[in-house]
Amino acid sequence: MAVTHIFFAVFALVLVYKSDVCSSTHVSSSPTDAAVLIVVDQSGKGHYRTIREAINAVPSKNSELIYISIKPGIYREKLVVPADKPFITLSGTDASNTIITWNDGGRIFDSATLSVMASDFVAIALTIQNTFGMRGKGIALRVSADKAAFYGCRILSYQDTLLDDYGRHYYYNCYIEGATDFICGNAASFFESCQLHSLAKAFGILTAQHRNSPSENTGFIFLGCNITGSPGGTDLGRPWGPYSRVIFGNTFMSNTVSPEGWRDWDDPRAQRTVYYGEYNCYGPGANRAKRVGWSRELSHDQSAQFLNRDIIGARSWLRPLPTHFKKRRPQHVFDVKDYFWKN
C-alpha cells in the first residue's frame, strides 16, 4: 500500500510539473536533477532516527537538491527548515502513516509544528499536525518563504491551521482541517484539488487573507476543491487585511458553507476594498441567493486571470521529483525505481 501511494504522489508531482513547466521557456531554479538522499527511519535502519537530525545534516547555504525520505511512523517533533537551507524535500510514503505532530499554542508565529523558512521547499505525503485544539491559536504549518509546494499532505489543527505567511506556494491534493481562520496569511497561493474540512459547529471561517494594499500580488486561489464539514456554520473568509483577496473556482461547497458566505470582521469599510469571488462553484453551499452583496460572482473572463498557476509564476519554479538520487558516501547514483521498489 505504501508503495502504491508514493507512486501516485510521485506521478501527480510529475504531471503537475509537466503541465506547467515543460511547455515554458523558463527553467526551474533547481541546481540539478539528482538529489542527495537522506533516509529517516525510527527503527535505526536509515541515516537518522529523527527528521530534525536529517534537516540539521543539511549544510548551511545548501546548493544541492536534498531528498529526505521519511519512513512510516509518528514523529513527535517541532521542526524548522532554516532560511539558509533551500532545495529540501520532505517525503513520506503515505500521509496516513507518516505523521509529524506537536502540541503548542499561543503566539501565531511561534507555535507551528513545521515552519518552512527556506525557499524551493517540497513536502509530499505527510501529515503535519498541531494537537493544541480549541484552546487558541495552534499552527500546524507555517510557510514563510518563496517557492514552496505541498503534494498529498494532511494539515491538521483547529485555529490558524495553515499560516500561509508570504511567498508563492502551491498545494495539490491536500487535506486541510480546522475551524477558525484555518488558512491565513499574505502569501500568493494556489490550492488545487484540495479538501477543506471545517470542524466548526456554529461559527467557522475558512480563510483570513492578509493583503494590505491593491499593489500586492497576493491572495488565495482555490480551484477544483471540496469544502466539507458540519451544516451551515462556516464562512468562506474574512479580511485579516483591508484588501484581502480570495477566489473559489469550480469548487464543491457542501452545506457547511453559510448562505451569506463571507464576513467583514465587523469593519464595514472592508466591504469596499476586499476582493472575494466565486466562479462556477456547485453544491448546496454554492447557492448565492443570500450571499453578501459585496462578494462577487465572477464571469468566465473575470475568473480567467486567477484560475491558473500562472498567477503564482509556477512555470519558473515548480520542479519534478529528482530522476536520480545519490548518497554522500559512497558517491553512488541510482534510479528512483531502485529505491522505491526495493526498500
Side-chain angles (χ1 to χ4, degrees):
M1 181 63 71
V3 168
T4 302
H5 281 275
I6 193 64
F7 173 78
F8 282 113
V10 171
F11 183 65
L13 179 53
V14 171
L15 285 181
V16 167
Y17 177 82
K18 284 185 175 180
S19 67
D20 219 18
V21 179
C22 291
S23 61
S24 172
T25 57
H26 299 286
V27 295
S28 169
S29 57
S30 302
T32 177
D33 65 351
V36 174
L37 175 67
I38 300 174
V39 178
V40 176
D41 189 338
Q42 291 176 324
S43 72
K45 296 179 180 179
H47 300 101
Y48 301 99
R49 292 178 182 268
T50 71
I51 304 168
R52 180 181 291 105
E53 289 174 310
I55 294 172
N56 288 345
V58 178
S60 179
K61 299 181 181 179
N62 173 61
S63 61
E64 295 185 282
L65 291 178
I66 306 292
Y67 193 96
I68 300 176
S69 176
I70 306 167
K71 293 291 188 177
I74 298 175
Y75 294 83
R76 302 186 188 281
E77 305 187 52
K78 185 172 183 176
L79 301 171
V80 176
V81 180
D84 63 346
K85 297 187 178 185
F87 303 115
I88 287 178
T89 293
L90 298 181
S91 178
T93 55
D94 189 317
S96 68
N97 62 27
T98 313
I99 300 166
I100 306 170
T101 184
W102 197 251
N103 182 336
D104 198 1
R107 292 166 60 90
I108 189 170
F109 290 102
D110 298 332
S111 63
T113 299
L114 172 61
S115 295
V116 178
M117 317 301 286
S119 68
D120 298 280
F121 175 85
V122 176
I124 303 170
L126 296 171
T127 288
I128 304 161
Q129 178 183 45
N130 190 329
T131 59
F132 193 67
M134 301 173 65
R135 292 172 286 169
K137 301 179 181 70
I139 289 77
L141 173 63
R142 173 187 175 186
V143 191
S144 297
D146 194 25
K147 297 181 290 186
F150 300 81
Y151 302 90
C153 291
R154 298 170 72 239
I155 307 166
L156 313 177
S157 188
Y158 190 84
Q159 183 174 345
D160 301 343
T161 302
L162 169 56
L163 177 54
D164 206 41
D165 189 20
Y166 69 85
R168 294 167 294 171
H169 309 148
Y170 180 67
Y171 300 85
Y172 179 80
N173 195 31
C174 292
Y175 174 91
I176 306 170
E177 180 180 278
T180 306
D181 304 330
F182 65 93
I183 303 175
C184 58
N186 195 22
S189 294
F190 199 91
F191 299 80
E192 187 170 2
S193 301
C194 293
Q195 181 177 354
L196 317 175
H197 184 75
S198 174
L199 298 173
K201 302 300 182 184
F203 177 78
I205 306 287
L206 288 179
T207 68
Q209 207 279 331
H210 201 349
R211 186 166 172 252
N212 291 302
S213 78
S215 63
E216 289 184 298
N217 189 25
T218 62
F220 299 157
I221 312 298
F222 299 87
L223 177 63
C225 292
N226 186 14
I227 301 173
T228 58
S230 299
T234 298
D235 294 303
L236 297 171
R238 61 180 178 176
W240 191 6
Y243 289 86
S244 180
R245 181 163 63 180
V246 181
I247 294 97
F248 289 89
N250 299 330
T251 289
F252 173 78
M253 298 182 179
S254 73
N255 60 3
T256 194
V257 177
S258 68
E260 298 79 13
W262 306 87
R263 292 181 181 266
D264 61 14
W265 216 326
D266 300 321
D267 184 0
R269 294 173 299 176
Q271 298 178 14
R272 301 191 299 270
T273 54
V274 299
Y275 194 104
Y276 290 156
E278 301 166 54
Y279 171 72
N280 199 35
C281 295
Y282 59 102
N287 187 339
R288 288 188 51 84
K290 296 183 180 180
R291 281 291 194 268
V292 295
W294 39 274
S295 69
R296 306 170 188 235
E297 184 172 9
L298 302 179
S299 68
H300 178 271
D301 290 343
Q302 289 171 326
S303 69
Q305 63 178 313
F306 300 112
L307 298 182
N308 65 79
R309 300 181 208 119
D310 287 344
I311 196 167
I312 58 169
R315 293 174 184 271
S316 66
W317 61 270
L318 281 184
R319 66 177 186 263
L321 193 76
T323 56
H324 296 79
F325 292 132
K326 57 186 178 182
K327 296 179 180 179
R328 288 189 183 278
R329 297 185 184 88
Q331 289 291 335
H332 172 66
V333 179
F334 56 97
D335 190 86
V336 61
K337 294 190 294 298
D338 293 337
Y339 178 72
F340 285 127
W341 270 260
K342 293 182 180 178
N343 287 269

